[in-house]
Amino acid sequence: MSAFITIIGTVGAVVLLLAYALVSSGRMSGNGLPYQLLNFGGAATLMINSAYHSAWPSAILNLVWSGIGVWTLGRLVARRATARRQAPEPATTPGR
C-alpha cells in the first residue's frame, strides 16, 4: 500500500508542476478548465499522500488547495452553463 501511495503522491506532484509550467510559459490559461482540473487533481493526490504519511501541515494545505479547486471548477461550470442558456439559437431557414 505504501508504494501505491508514493506513486499517487509522485503523480500529483508531477501534475501540479506540469500545470504550473504550462501556465507560466503561456501555453495554458490559468482561467481555463484544463488548468483547474490539473490543479485540483494534483492537490487531491498530494493530500492523500500527505495524510497517509501523517504530514498534517501538508495534508491540510492540500485539502484547502483542493477545496479552492472544487469551488473554482464549480464557478467555471456554472458560468459555462449560463453562457449556453443565454446564447442565441441558430437561425433556421424556412421550409427546411
Side-chain angles (χ1 to χ4, degrees), residues 19-20 23 28-40 65:
Y20 180 67
V23 167
M28 181 184 288
S29 168
N31 295 328
L33 188 61
Y35 173 74
Q36 295 302 328
L37 287 169
L38 290 172
N39 200 25
F40 168 71
W65 195 313

Side-chain angles (χ1 to χ4, degrees), residues 62-84:
N62 284 294
L63 174 67
V64 172
W65 195 313
S66 296
I68 292 168
V70 167
W71 178 69
T72 304
L73 286 167
R75 282 187 16 206
L76 283 172
V77 169
R79 194 177 303 141
R80 286 184 178 194
T82 300
R84 265 190 244 120

